[in-house]
Amino acid sequence: MKVFLPEGANRVQEFLHSKNSDSKVEMLPESTATAKDAAQALNVELHQIGKSIVLGNETNTIVAIVCGDQKVNVAILSEELKVDNLTPLKADEIKQRIGFAIGGVSPFALPSGTAIIIDTRLYNLSKCFVAAGHPKAVVSTTGKEIAALTNAKVSLICD
C-alpha cells in the first residue's frame, strides 16, 4: 500500500530511493519542527536529533547538520568552508533558497550548489533522526549515511 506523503517529504523519499537507501520517511502525528519537539515525539534523547541550520551570504547557501543539543559556531564554520559573512537565514529565505519550510529542512534532496556540512558528533552517531521535508516528517538514519548520500563535509563546527 502506497503511503501519501506531502510534497517535501515525498521529495526526500524519492531522493533516498534514488540513492538506493533503505531509509524511509515517516510521518508523525506530532510536530517535529524543532529538535526538542522531534525528541519528544520520537521518545529519544535531544542529541539524537539532527537539526539543520541554514546559513548564507549573497552567493552561498550552507546547511549545517548538528546534534539537537548543539549550537553551530559560525566563526569555525566560516573558517572551515572558507566563506565570509555567513548569517542564519530567515524563514522566507530558507524556503526560497532550498525549497523546504523551516521546521522541515532535510539534509536530503537539497538543490545543487547547497553546501552541506555535518558536525563530527552527529557524524559518529549510529542512529539519528533528521527532518524529511515537512514539519511532521522524519527519517531514521546515521551520520555516516547522511555524509555518504549528500557528499557532505564532516568537521567539528560546534563549541
Side-chain angles (χ1 to χ4, degrees), residues 56-93:
N57 59 22
E58 287 183 14
T59 57
N60 298 283
T61 304
I62 293 148
V63 177
I65 314 299
V66 303
C67 290
D69 59 352
Q70 290 182 296
K71 191 171 184 177
V72 173
N73 182 315
V74 178
I76 293 172
L77 177 66
S78 294
E79 177 65 29
E80 187 63 36
L81 295 177
K82 309 289 187 244
V83 178
D84 293 325
N85 303 317
L86 286 178
T87 58
L89 298 181
K90 295 184 180 358
D92 59 331
E93 292 175 297

PDB file of all heavy atoms in Angstrom, residues 56-93:
ATOM      1  N   GLY A  56      23.829  31.594   5.195  1.00  0.00           N
ATOM      2  CA  GLY A  56      24.220  32.002   3.861  1.00  0.00           C
ATOM      3  C   GLY A  56      24.772  33.407   3.824  1.00  0.00           C
ATOM      4  O   GLY A  56      24.818  34.107   4.836  1.00  0.00           O
ATOM      5  N   ASN A  57      25.184  33.785   2.635  1.00  0.00           N
ATOM      6  CA  ASN A  57      25.558  35.154   2.323  1.00  0.00           C
ATOM      7  C   ASN A  57      24.973  35.443   0.941  1.00  0.00           C
ATOM      8  O   ASN A  57      24.088  34.705   0.489  1.00  0.00           O
ATOM      9  CB  ASN A  57      27.076  35.359   2.412  1.00  0.00           C
ATOM     10  CG  ASN A  57      27.869  34.469   1.470  1.00  0.00           C
ATOM     11  OD1 ASN A  57      27.348  33.983   0.468  1.00  0.00           O
ATOM     12  ND2 ASN A  57      29.125  34.245   1.789  1.00  0.00           N
ATOM     13  N   GLU A  58      25.466  36.438   0.261  1.00  0.00           N
ATOM     14  CA  GLU A  58      24.871  36.791  -1.037  1.00  0.00           C
ATOM     15  C   GLU A  58      24.972  35.673  -2.067  1.00  0.00           C
ATOM     16  O   GLU A  58      24.105  35.539  -2.927  1.00  0.00           O
ATOM     17  CB  GLU A  58      25.526  38.057  -1.581  1.00  0.00           C
ATOM     18  CG  GLU A  58      25.108  39.305  -0.846  1.00  0.00           C
ATOM     19  CD  GLU A  58      25.706  40.562  -1.451  1.00  0.00           C
ATOM     20  OE1 GLU A  58      26.221  40.514  -2.587  1.00  0.00           O
ATOM     21  OE2 GLU A  58      25.656  41.589  -0.770  1.00  0.00           O
ATOM     22  N   THR A  59      26.016  34.857  -1.991  1.00  0.00           N
ATOM     23  CA  THR A  59      26.237  33.848  -3.034  1.00  0.00           C
ATOM     24  C   THR A  59      26.239  32.398  -2.559  1.00  0.00           C
ATOM     25  O   THR A  59      26.252  31.498  -3.386  1.00  0.00           O
ATOM     26  CB  THR A  59      27.575  34.110  -3.759  1.00  0.00           C
ATOM     27  OG1 THR A  59      28.619  34.117  -2.784  1.00  0.00           O
ATOM     28  CG2 THR A  59      27.554  35.445  -4.498  1.00  0.00           C
ATOM     29  N   ASN A  60      26.255  32.161  -1.264  1.00  0.00           N
ATOM     30  CA  ASN A  60      26.361  30.803  -0.741  1.00  0.00           C
ATOM     31  C   ASN A  60      25.190  30.443   0.158  1.00  0.00           C
ATOM     32  O   ASN A  60      24.716  31.282   0.923  1.00  0.00           O
ATOM     33  CB  ASN A  60      27.642  30.659   0.091  1.00  0.00           C
ATOM     34  CG  ASN A  60      28.888  30.881  -0.714  1.00  0.00           C
ATOM     35  OD1 ASN A  60      29.302  30.006  -1.464  1.00  0.00           O
ATOM     36  ND2 ASN A  60      29.492  32.051  -0.570  1.00  0.00           N
ATOM     37  N   THR A  61      24.766  29.190   0.057  1.00  0.00           N
ATOM     38  CA  THR A  61      23.782  28.632   0.981  1.00  0.00           C
ATOM     39  C   THR A  61      24.411  27.397   1.607  1.00  0.00           C
ATOM     40  O   THR A  61      24.896  26.513   0.895  1.00  0.00           O
ATOM     41  CB  THR A  61      22.480  28.247   0.249  1.00  0.00           C
ATOM     42  OG1 THR A  61      21.977  29.390  -0.435  1.00  0.00           O
ATOM     43  CG2 THR A  61      21.442  27.724   1.222  1.00  0.00           C
ATOM     44  N   ILE A  62      24.399  27.359   2.932  1.00  0.00           N
ATOM     45  CA  ILE A  62      25.033  26.270   3.660  1.00  0.00           C
ATOM     46  C   ILE A  62      24.030  25.666   4.634  1.00  0.00           C
ATOM     47  O   ILE A  62      23.341  26.391   5.347  1.00  0.00           O
ATOM     48  CB  ILE A  62      26.272  26.778   4.425  1.00  0.00           C
ATOM     49  CG1 ILE A  62      27.332  27.194   3.403  1.00  0.00           C
ATOM     50  CG2 ILE A  62      26.820  25.725   5.374  1.00  0.00           C
ATOM     51  CD1 ILE A  62      28.195  28.299   3.820  1.00  0.00           C
ATOM     52  N   VAL A  63      23.944  24.342   4.642  1.00  0.00           N
ATOM     53  CA  VAL A  63      23.121  23.636   5.609  1.00  0.00           C
ATOM     54  C   VAL A  63      24.078  22.881   6.527  1.00  0.00           C
ATOM     55  O   VAL A  63      24.827  21.998   6.081  1.00  0.00           O
ATOM     56  CB  VAL A  63      22.122  22.673   4.944  1.00  0.00           C
ATOM     57  CG1 VAL A  63      21.338  21.904   5.987  1.00  0.00           C
ATOM     58  CG2 VAL A  63      21.172  23.453   4.022  1.00  0.00           C
ATOM     59  N   ALA A  64      24.062  23.270   7.794  1.00  0.00           N
ATOM     60  CA  ALA A  64      24.887  22.616   8.810  1.00  0.00           C
ATOM     61  C   ALA A  64      23.998  21.658   9.593  1.00  0.00           C
ATOM     62  O   ALA A  64      22.943  22.051  10.085  1.00  0.00           O
ATOM     63  CB  ALA A  64      25.502  23.659   9.738  1.00  0.00           C
ATOM     64  N   ILE A  65      24.414  20.407   9.688  1.00  0.00           N
ATOM     65  CA  ILE A  65      23.645  19.395  10.405  1.00  0.00           C
ATOM     66  C   ILE A  65      24.394  19.092  11.707  1.00  0.00           C
ATOM     67  O   ILE A  65      25.541  18.649  11.674  1.00  0.00           O
ATOM     68  CB  ILE A  65      23.489  18.098   9.587  1.00  0.00           C
ATOM     69  CG1 ILE A  65      23.089  18.378   8.143  1.00  0.00           C
ATOM     70  CG2 ILE A  65      22.497  17.152  10.273  1.00  0.00           C
ATOM     71  CD1 ILE A  65      21.780  19.092   7.948  1.00  0.00           C
ATOM     72  N   VAL A  66      23.715  19.346  12.824  1.00  0.00           N
ATOM     73  CA  VAL A  66      24.343  19.183  14.139  1.00  0.00           C
ATOM     74  C   VAL A  66      23.370  18.463  15.070  1.00  0.00           C
ATOM     75  O   VAL A  66      22.164  18.396  14.803  1.00  0.00           O
ATOM     76  CB  VAL A  66      24.759  20.543  14.740  1.00  0.00           C
ATOM     77  CG1 VAL A  66      25.709  21.282  13.797  1.00  0.00           C
ATOM     78  CG2 VAL A  66      23.564  21.419  15.055  1.00  0.00           C
ATOM     79  N   CYS A  67      23.876  17.943  16.166  1.00  0.00           N
ATOM     80  CA  CYS A  67      23.014  17.322  17.171  1.00  0.00           C
ATOM     81  C   CYS A  67      22.076  18.368  17.757  1.00  0.00           C
ATOM     82  O   CYS A  67      22.428  19.549  17.872  1.00  0.00           O
ATOM     83  CB  CYS A  67      23.858  16.702  18.279  1.00  0.00           C
ATOM     84  SG  CYS A  67      24.779  15.241  17.768  1.00  0.00           S
ATOM     85  N   GLY A  68      20.893  17.923  18.155  1.00  0.00           N
ATOM     86  CA  GLY A  68      19.856  18.812  18.654  1.00  0.00           C
ATOM     87  C   GLY A  68      20.230  19.631  19.864  1.00  0.00           C
ATOM     88  O   GLY A  68      19.643  20.680  20.108  1.00  0.00           O
ATOM     89  N   ASP A  69      21.230  19.194  20.613  1.00  0.00           N
ATOM     90  CA  ASP A  69      21.643  19.935  21.798  1.00  0.00           C
ATOM     91  C   ASP A  69      22.900  20.768  21.548  1.00  0.00           C
ATOM     92  O   ASP A  69      23.512  21.273  22.474  1.00  0.00           O
ATOM     93  CB  ASP A  69      21.871  18.987  22.983  1.00  0.00           C
ATOM     94  CG  ASP A  69      22.921  17.924  22.710  1.00  0.00           C
ATOM     95  OD1 ASP A  69      23.394  17.798  21.552  1.00  0.00           O
ATOM     96  OD2 ASP A  69      23.278  17.202  23.661  1.00  0.00           O
ATOM     97  N   GLN A  70      23.283  20.924  20.291  1.00  0.00           N
ATOM     98  CA  GLN A  70      24.473  21.684  19.950  1.00  0.00           C
ATOM     99  C   GLN A  70      24.118  23.010  19.282  1.00  0.00           C
ATOM    100  O   GLN A  70      23.008  23.188  18.771  1.00  0.00           O
ATOM    101  CB  GLN A  70      25.369  20.901  18.984  1.00  0.00           C
ATOM    102  CG  GLN A  70      26.031  19.703  19.602  1.00  0.00           C
ATOM    103  CD  GLN A  70      26.939  19.018  18.611  1.00  0.00           C
ATOM    104  OE1 GLN A  70      26.494  18.510  17.593  1.00  0.00           O
ATOM    105  NE2 GLN A  70      28.233  19.009  18.910  1.00  0.00           N
ATOM    106  N   LYS A  71      25.090  23.899  19.254  1.00  0.00           N
ATOM    107  CA  LYS A  71      24.942  25.193  18.594  1.00  0.00           C
ATOM    108  C   LYS A  71      26.124  25.372  17.648  1.00  0.00           C
ATOM    109  O   LYS A  71      27.275  25.153  18.036  1.00  0.00           O
ATOM    110  CB  LYS A  71      24.916  26.303  19.647  1.00  0.00           C
ATOM    111  CG  LYS A  71      24.519  27.628  19.108  1.00  0.00           C
ATOM    112  CD  LYS A  71      24.302  28.620  20.228  1.00  0.00           C
ATOM    113  CE  LYS A  71      23.810  29.914  19.612  1.00  0.00           C
ATOM    114  NZ  LYS A  71      23.505  30.906  20.614  1.00  0.00           N
ATOM    115  N   VAL A  72      25.840  25.761  16.413  1.00  0.00           N
ATOM    116  CA  VAL A  72      26.888  25.977  15.422  1.00  0.00           C
ATOM    117  C   VAL A  72      27.733  27.183  15.823  1.00  0.00           C
ATOM    118  O   VAL A  72      27.199  28.220  16.208  1.00  0.00           O
ATOM    119  CB  VAL A  72      26.285  26.222  14.018  1.00  0.00           C
ATOM    120  CG1 VAL A  72      27.366  26.622  13.020  1.00  0.00           C
ATOM    121  CG2 VAL A  72      25.535  25.003  13.531  1.00  0.00           C
ATOM    122  N   ASN A  73      29.037  27.037  15.716  1.00  0.00           N
ATOM    123  CA  ASN A  73      29.949  28.158  15.888  1.00  0.00           C
ATOM    124  C   ASN A  73      30.194  28.717  14.489  1.00  0.00           C
ATOM    125  O   ASN A  73      30.912  28.110  13.684  1.00  0.00           O
ATOM    126  CB  ASN A  73      31.253  27.704  16.541  1.00  0.00           C
ATOM    127  CG  ASN A  73      32.201  28.849  16.789  1.00  0.00           C
ATOM    128  OD1 ASN A  73      32.406  29.707  15.927  1.00  0.00           O
ATOM    129  ND2 ASN A  73      32.808  28.863  17.964  1.00  0.00           N
ATOM    130  N   VAL A  74      29.571  29.863  14.190  1.00  0.00           N
ATOM    131  CA  VAL A  74      29.611  30.418  12.839  1.00  0.00           C
ATOM    132  C   VAL A  74      31.041  30.772  12.427  1.00  0.00           C
ATOM    133  O   VAL A  74      31.411  30.597  11.262  1.00  0.00           O
ATOM    134  CB  VAL A  74      28.661  31.629  12.702  1.00  0.00           C
ATOM    135  CG1 VAL A  74      28.742  32.237  11.313  1.00  0.00           C
ATOM    136  CG2 VAL A  74      27.221  31.203  13.000  1.00  0.00           C
ATOM    137  N   ALA A  75      31.856  31.226  13.357  1.00  0.00           N
ATOM    138  CA  ALA A  75      33.246  31.567  13.032  1.00  0.00           C
ATOM    139  C   ALA A  75      34.018  30.318  12.590  1.00  0.00           C
ATOM    140  O   ALA A  75      34.753  30.348  11.593  1.00  0.00           O
ATOM    141  CB  ALA A  75      33.928  32.226  14.227  1.00  0.00           C
ATOM    142  N   ILE A  76      33.842  29.218  13.312  1.00  0.00           N
ATOM    143  CA  ILE A  76      34.509  27.958  12.946  1.00  0.00           C
ATOM    144  C   ILE A  76      33.979  27.471  11.603  1.00  0.00           C
ATOM    145  O   ILE A  76      34.749  27.053  10.732  1.00  0.00           O
ATOM    146  CB  ILE A  76      34.310  26.885  14.040  1.00  0.00           C
ATOM    147  CG1 ILE A  76      35.039  27.283  15.317  1.00  0.00           C
ATOM    148  CG2 ILE A  76      34.773  25.511  13.546  1.00  0.00           C
ATOM    149  CD1 ILE A  76      34.746  26.382  16.512  1.00  0.00           C
ATOM    150  N   LEU A  77      32.667  27.532  11.414  1.00  0.00           N
ATOM    151  CA  LEU A  77      32.052  27.101  10.153  1.00  0.00           C
ATOM    152  C   LEU A  77      32.585  27.915   8.987  1.00  0.00           C
ATOM    153  O   LEU A  77      32.958  27.369   7.949  1.00  0.00           O
ATOM    154  CB  LEU A  77      30.523  27.219  10.246  1.00  0.00           C
ATOM    155  CG  LEU A  77      29.741  26.880   8.990  1.00  0.00           C
ATOM    156  CD1 LEU A  77      29.884  25.411   8.634  1.00  0.00           C
ATOM    157  CD2 LEU A  77      28.280  27.232   9.175  1.00  0.00           C
ATOM    158  N   SER A  78      32.630  29.230   9.148  1.00  0.00           N
ATOM    159  CA  SER A  78      33.134  30.114   8.086  1.00  0.00           C
ATOM    160  C   SER A  78      34.570  29.768   7.720  1.00  0.00           C
ATOM    161  O   SER A  78      34.920  29.700   6.542  1.00  0.00           O
ATOM    162  CB  SER A  78      33.061  31.575   8.527  1.00  0.00           C
ATOM    163  OG  SER A  78      31.730  31.975   8.679  1.00  0.00           O
ATOM    164  N   GLU A  79      35.395  29.551   8.735  1.00  0.00           N
ATOM    165  CA  GLU A  79      36.801  29.197   8.502  1.00  0.00           C
ATOM    166  C   GLU A  79      36.910  27.848   7.800  1.00  0.00           C
ATOM    167  O   GLU A  79      37.681  27.683   6.853  1.00  0.00           O
ATOM    168  CB  GLU A  79      37.551  29.171   9.838  1.00  0.00           C
ATOM    169  CG  GLU A  79      38.992  28.736   9.729  1.00  0.00           C
ATOM    170  CD  GLU A  79      39.861  29.687   8.924  1.00  0.00           C
ATOM    171  OE1 GLU A  79      39.578  30.896   8.885  1.00  0.00           O
ATOM    172  OE2 GLU A  79      40.837  29.198   8.310  1.00  0.00           O
ATOM    173  N   GLU A  80      36.130  26.882   8.248  1.00  0.00           N
ATOM    174  CA  GLU A  80      36.179  25.533   7.680  1.00  0.00           C
ATOM    175  C   GLU A  80      35.799  25.531   6.199  1.00  0.00           C
ATOM    176  O   GLU A  80      36.413  24.832   5.395  1.00  0.00           O
ATOM    177  CB  GLU A  80      35.254  24.600   8.466  1.00  0.00           C
ATOM    178  CG  GLU A  80      35.347  23.164   8.086  1.00  0.00           C
ATOM    179  CD  GLU A  80      36.705  22.535   8.349  1.00  0.00           C
ATOM    180  OE1 GLU A  80      37.361  22.865   9.352  1.00  0.00           O
ATOM    181  OE2 GLU A  80      37.120  21.704   7.520  1.00  0.00           O
ATOM    182  N   LEU A  81      34.787  26.314   5.842  1.00  0.00           N
ATOM    183  CA  LEU A  81      34.316  26.339   4.452  1.00  0.00           C
ATOM    184  C   LEU A  81      34.933  27.463   3.630  1.00  0.00           C
ATOM    185  O   LEU A  81      34.644  27.588   2.438  1.00  0.00           O
ATOM    186  CB  LEU A  81      32.788  26.457   4.422  1.00  0.00           C
ATOM    187  CG  LEU A  81      32.029  25.269   5.002  1.00  0.00           C
ATOM    188  CD1 LEU A  81      30.531  25.522   4.978  1.00  0.00           C
ATOM    189  CD2 LEU A  81      32.359  23.980   4.256  1.00  0.00           C
ATOM    190  N   LYS A  82      35.741  28.298   4.276  1.00  0.00           N
ATOM    191  CA  LYS A  82      36.365  29.439   3.599  1.00  0.00           C
ATOM    192  C   LYS A  82      35.317  30.353   2.971  1.00  0.00           C
ATOM    193  O   LYS A  82      35.405  30.754   1.817  1.00  0.00           O
ATOM    194  CB  LYS A  82      37.364  28.975   2.525  1.00  0.00           C
ATOM    195  CG  LYS A  82      38.384  27.965   3.006  1.00  0.00           C
ATOM    196  CD  LYS A  82      39.381  28.603   3.932  1.00  0.00           C
ATOM    197  CE  LYS A  82      40.503  27.644   4.282  1.00  0.00           C
ATOM    198  NZ  LYS A  82      40.575  27.274   5.672  1.00  0.00           N
ATOM    199  N   VAL A  83      34.287  30.675   3.771  1.00  0.00           N
ATOM    200  CA  VAL A  83      33.186  31.530   3.333  1.00  0.00           C
ATOM    201  C   VAL A  83      32.987  32.626   4.380  1.00  0.00           C
ATOM    202  O   VAL A  83      32.869  32.327   5.567  1.00  0.00           O
ATOM    203  CB  VAL A  83      31.882  30.716   3.170  1.00  0.00           C
ATOM    204  CG1 VAL A  83      30.728  31.616   2.774  1.00  0.00           C
ATOM    205  CG2 VAL A  83      32.060  29.601   2.156  1.00  0.00           C
ATOM    206  N   ASP A  84      32.967  33.868   3.939  1.00  0.00           N
ATOM    207  CA  ASP A  84      32.807  35.002   4.845  1.00  0.00           C
ATOM    208  C   ASP A  84      31.366  35.477   4.908  1.00  0.00           C
ATOM    209  O   ASP A  84      30.551  35.170   4.030  1.00  0.00           O
ATOM    210  CB  ASP A  84      33.683  36.182   4.389  1.00  0.00           C
ATOM    211  CG  ASP A  84      35.167  35.883   4.517  1.00  0.00           C
ATOM    212  OD1 ASP A  84      35.547  35.190   5.471  1.00  0.00           O
ATOM    213  OD2 ASP A  84      35.931  36.343   3.644  1.00  0.00           O
ATOM    214  N   ASN A  85      31.082  36.262   5.941  1.00  0.00           N
ATOM    215  CA  ASN A  85      29.800  36.959   6.111  1.00  0.00           C
ATOM    216  C   ASN A  85      28.591  36.028   6.168  1.00  0.00           C
ATOM    217  O   ASN A  85      27.520  36.356   5.646  1.00  0.00           O
ATOM    218  CB  ASN A  85      29.594  38.013   5.002  1.00  0.00           C
ATOM    219  CG  ASN A  85      30.723  39.010   4.954  1.00  0.00           C
ATOM    220  OD1 ASN A  85      31.184  39.484   5.993  1.00  0.00           O
ATOM    221  ND2 ASN A  85      31.196  39.331   3.756  1.00  0.00           N
ATOM    222  N   LEU A  86      28.737  34.888   6.801  1.00  0.00           N
ATOM    223  CA  LEU A  86      27.613  33.960   6.948  1.00  0.00           C
ATOM    224  C   LEU A  86      26.698  34.421   8.069  1.00  0.00           C
ATOM    225  O   LEU A  86      27.162  34.797   9.145  1.00  0.00           O
ATOM    226  CB  LEU A  86      28.107  32.553   7.281  1.00  0.00           C
ATOM    227  CG  LEU A  86      28.748  31.766   6.162  1.00  0.00           C
ATOM    228  CD1 LEU A  86      29.228  30.419   6.682  1.00  0.00           C
ATOM    229  CD2 LEU A  86      27.783  31.578   5.005  1.00  0.00           C
ATOM    230  N   THR A  87      25.414  34.367   7.812  1.00  0.00           N
ATOM    231  CA  THR A  87      24.421  34.646   8.837  1.00  0.00           C
ATOM    232  C   THR A  87      23.297  33.627   8.696  1.00  0.00           C
ATOM    233  O   THR A  87      23.050  33.109   7.603  1.00  0.00           O
ATOM    234  CB  THR A  87      23.818  36.068   8.709  1.00  0.00           C
ATOM    235  OG1 THR A  87      23.226  36.202   7.417  1.00  0.00           O
ATOM    236  CG2 THR A  87      24.883  37.135   8.903  1.00  0.00           C
ATOM    237  N   PRO A  88      22.604  33.334   9.804  1.00  0.00           N
ATOM    238  CA  PRO A  88      21.439  32.445   9.697  1.00  0.00           C
ATOM    239  C   PRO A  88      20.391  33.084   8.784  1.00  0.00           C
ATOM    240  O   PRO A  88      20.148  34.289   8.853  1.00  0.00           O
ATOM    241  CB  PRO A  88      20.932  32.347  11.129  1.00  0.00           C
ATOM    242  CG  PRO A  88      22.103  32.723  11.985  1.00  0.00           C
ATOM    243  CD  PRO A  88      22.879  33.721  11.181  1.00  0.00           C
ATOM    244  N   LEU A  89      19.800  32.281   7.914  1.00  0.00           N
ATOM    245  CA  LEU A  89      18.780  32.797   7.002  1.00  0.00           C
ATOM    246  C   LEU A  89      17.421  32.830   7.678  1.00  0.00           C
ATOM    247  O   LEU A  89      17.132  32.014   8.553  1.00  0.00           O
ATOM    248  CB  LEU A  89      18.715  31.941   5.743  1.00  0.00           C
ATOM    249  CG  LEU A  89      19.989  31.888   4.894  1.00  0.00           C
ATOM    250  CD1 LEU A  89      19.763  31.030   3.658  1.00  0.00           C
ATOM    251  CD2 LEU A  89      20.457  33.280   4.491  1.00  0.00           C
ATOM    252  N   LYS A  90      16.600  33.752   7.257  1.00  0.00           N
ATOM    253  CA  LYS A  90      15.227  33.867   7.757  1.00  0.00           C
ATOM    254  C   LYS A  90      14.350  32.842   7.039  1.00  0.00           C
ATOM    255  O   LYS A  90      14.708  32.316   5.992  1.00  0.00           O
ATOM    256  CB  LYS A  90      14.714  35.281   7.525  1.00  0.00           C
ATOM    257  CG  LYS A  90      15.474  36.329   8.328  1.00  0.00           C
ATOM    258  CD  LYS A  90      14.860  37.701   8.120  1.00  0.00           C
ATOM    259  CE  LYS A  90      15.513  38.816   8.868  1.00  0.00           C
ATOM    260  NZ  LYS A  90      16.584  38.602   9.742  1.00  0.00           N
ATOM    261  N   ALA A  91      13.188  32.571   7.618  1.00  0.00           N
ATOM    262  CA  ALA A  91      12.292  31.523   7.108  1.00  0.00           C
ATOM    263  C   ALA A  91      11.977  31.681   5.623  1.00  0.00           C
ATOM    264  O   ALA A  91      12.027  30.706   4.872  1.00  0.00           O
ATOM    265  CB  ALA A  91      11.009  31.489   7.926  1.00  0.00           C
ATOM    266  N   ASP A  92      11.665  32.902   5.175  1.00  0.00           N
ATOM    267  CA  ASP A  92      11.313  33.085   3.765  1.00  0.00           C
ATOM    268  C   ASP A  92      12.516  32.862   2.846  1.00  0.00           C
ATOM    269  O   ASP A  92      12.380  32.311   1.749  1.00  0.00           O
ATOM    270  CB  ASP A  92      10.684  34.461   3.523  1.00  0.00           C
ATOM    271  CG  ASP A  92      11.580  35.621   3.907  1.00  0.00           C
ATOM    272  OD1 ASP A  92      12.417  35.471   4.815  1.00  0.00           O
ATOM    273  OD2 ASP A  92      11.427  36.700   3.299  1.00  0.00           O
ATOM    274  N   GLU A  93      13.716  33.230   3.313  1.00  0.00           N
ATOM    275  CA  GLU A  93      14.928  32.988   2.526  1.00  0.00           C
ATOM    276  C   GLU A  93      15.231  31.491   2.428  1.00  0.00           C
ATOM    277  O   GLU A  93      15.650  31.008   1.381  1.00  0.00           O
ATOM    278  CB  GLU A  93      16.133  33.683   3.163  1.00  0.00           C
ATOM    279  CG  GLU A  93      16.093  35.197   3.125  1.00  0.00           C
ATOM    280  CD  GLU A  93      17.267  35.791   3.887  1.00  0.00           C
ATOM    281  OE1 GLU A  93      17.350  35.575   5.124  1.00  0.00           O
ATOM    282  OE2 GLU A  93      18.095  36.471   3.240  1.00  0.00           O
TER     283      GLU A  93
END
